[in-house]
Amino acid sequence: MYAALALVVGIVAGIVLSPTVPDWMAPYLPIAVVAALDAVFGGLRAKLDGIFDAKVFVISFVANVLVAAFIVFLGDQLGVGSQLSTAVVVVLGIRIFGNVAAIRRHIFKA
Amino acid sequence: MADHGGDARPDPRKTAKAREVLKRNPVPSLLVDLLGDPLDPGYAEAAARPARPGRRRAILYAVVGALVAGGILGVAARVTDANAAGAESTRQALLADIGTAQRAGAELEASAAALAEEVRQANAAAGHGGDDDLEVAGGAVSVTGPALQVVIDAPAGDNGGAVILDRDIQLLVNGLWSAGAEAITVGGVRLRPTSTIRKAGDAILVDNKPVFWPLEIVAIGSPTTMAADFAGTSGYGRFSSFASLYDVQFGVNQLGQVTLPAAPGPVLRYGRVPSTTSAVSTEPTLPTLPTRPTG
């Protein structure tokens, strides 16, 4: 409940305040978005399953963002940045899709 | 996450105790894991642990995490919005740049043609009159005469570049040359002996200048023989079969008196300013161009 409220507040704050994203950070924003979506849907799924744990939520989110950004950074240095970005997006994308499917089954029983 | 116990081979040197000491963090096959349960296994593990943080603390964690996640989403939405506007203005600016560069290029080309004409007249005045036939063949002078017009285009509703290849056009133009054409323009670009007809994506480049569909090829030559000779060339045959098989538009017309412009001044690759020891020349000297890699 509080988390959902905080999520909405965060989105609104991000849109309204519109902080300028430094250039060096720009390539990592899409990856961070995918990782954030993964964390949000994972958390929601866990909540519906009754095993939500705030610490796991925060730590897995932060770790996923950092690891994903690091992989992309490393890929950029090695010249395979776009391929590794694809890898990150595929892995997190499958997780998002699976979690959303589980949430859908939970809510609609279908 | 269950330990799948990867190595099943019994190792006599490893005692049960050693196994206990070697604490590993086994991971099941990544793809199987990915396609199995997408939920972070950490949730299940945390739920299985008896000790859990206090409620107040849990709420704080969740709120901070959700706030950051929401913030990222909001910022991303904002940035995407801003980038869309930026991309559009960048596109417009690039289009304007291209237009300016093309106009500048056309101006330079016109001045190069005018200067080449001056050089030619100065040469003639100095007694180094050029060979008219060579000048016509080299595209150095404009040519007027009866002409044959060939218009080619893709089937209606299709993009020409997707159907007609550069080599087809080359064959067609070579057919016109062999039919006795003295001067040819392709899409308004006068061909020189060194001209290229190439394909770049869906566009046809003649001498590195883009030409547009429908492509109009005009050849000046003998009004009596050229049309008949051209109809016997393989280029004509190829395009007439294209027209019957693939509905490619292919039209050949006789034109009256037509003037084809001169090609832009020659690009000197091997020409040099004569050294001062040779005979004193009154010719205007052309600057040497840097040698360029061919091809």
Side-chain angles (χ1 to χ4, degrees), chain A residues 27-28 70-82 84-85:
Chain A
Y28 307 112
F70 178 69
I71 288 176
V72 174
F73 167 76
L74 206 63
D76 278 340
Q77 302 302 311
L78 295 174
V80 288
S82 57
L84 283 182
S85 298

Side-chain angles (χ1 to χ4, degrees), chain B residues 157-170:
Chain B
D158 208 338
N159 179 10
V163 185
I164 300 171
L165 300 180
D166 46 2
R167 68 184 76 157
D168 303 327
I169 302 171
Q170 289 164 9

Side-chain angles (χ1 to χ4, degrees), chain A residues 2-19 36 40, chain B residues 62-78:
Chain A
Y2 290 108
L5 216 60
L7 187 71
V8 173
V9 169
I11 293 176
V12 171
I15 292 176
V16 171
L17 298 179
S18 67
V40 167
Chain B
V63 164
V64 170
L67 204 61
V68 173
I72 287 178
L73 296 181
V75 169
R78 189 77 194 192

Side-chain angles (χ1 to χ4, degrees), chain A residues 2-3 6-7 9-11 14-15 18-19 21 29 32-33 36-37 39-40 42-43 45-46 49 51-58 60-61 64 91 94-95 98-99, chain B residues 30 34-35 37-44 46-47 49 52-53 55 57-79:
Chain A
Y2 290 108
L7 187 71
V9 169
I11 293 176
I15 292 176
S18 67
V21 180
L29 193 60
V33 168
L37 280 178
V40 167
R45 159 100 189 276
D49 286 357
I51 56 169
F52 181 75
D53 186 278
K55 198 173 148 196
V56 173
F57 170 67
V58 171
S60 73
F61 168 47
N64 277 350
V91 168
I94 290 178
R95 278 173 51 141
N99 280 330
Chain B
L30 183 61
L34 202 56
L35 298 173
D37 187 357
L39 188 61
D40 200 303
Y43 285 115
R49 270 198 299 272
R52 323 239 340 225
R55 179 174 163 72
R57 194 142 163 232
I59 289 177
L60 184 70
Y61 271 135
V63 164
V64 170
L67 204 61
V68 173
I72 287 178
L73 296 181
V75 169
R78 189 77 194 192
V79 167

Side-chain angles (χ1 to χ4, degrees), chain B residues 132-195:
Chain B
D132 283 349
D133 287 347
L134 281 181
E135 280 176 340
V136 168
V141 289
S142 60
V143 179
T144 304
L148 202 61
Q149 181 203 41
V150 181
V151 180
I152 53 175
D153 199 0
D158 208 338
N159 179 10
V163 185
I164 300 171
L165 300 180
D166 46 2
R167 68 184 76 157
D168 303 327
I169 302 171
Q170 289 164 9
L171 195 68
L172 197 66
V173 169
N174 284 339
L176 284 169
W177 285 127
S178 69
E182 292 163 27
I184 298 181
T185 60
V186 177
V189 181
R190 173 80 180 272
L191 295 185
R192 294 183 293 195
T194 55
S195 289

Side-chain angles (χ1 to χ4, degrees), chain A residues 22-47:
Chain A
D23 278 348
W24 59 266
M25 213 194 249
Y28 307 112
L29 193 60
I31 298 296
V33 168
V34 177
L37 280 178
D38 174 55
V40 167
F41 286 119
L44 187 57
R45 159 100 189 276
K47 185 80 187 165

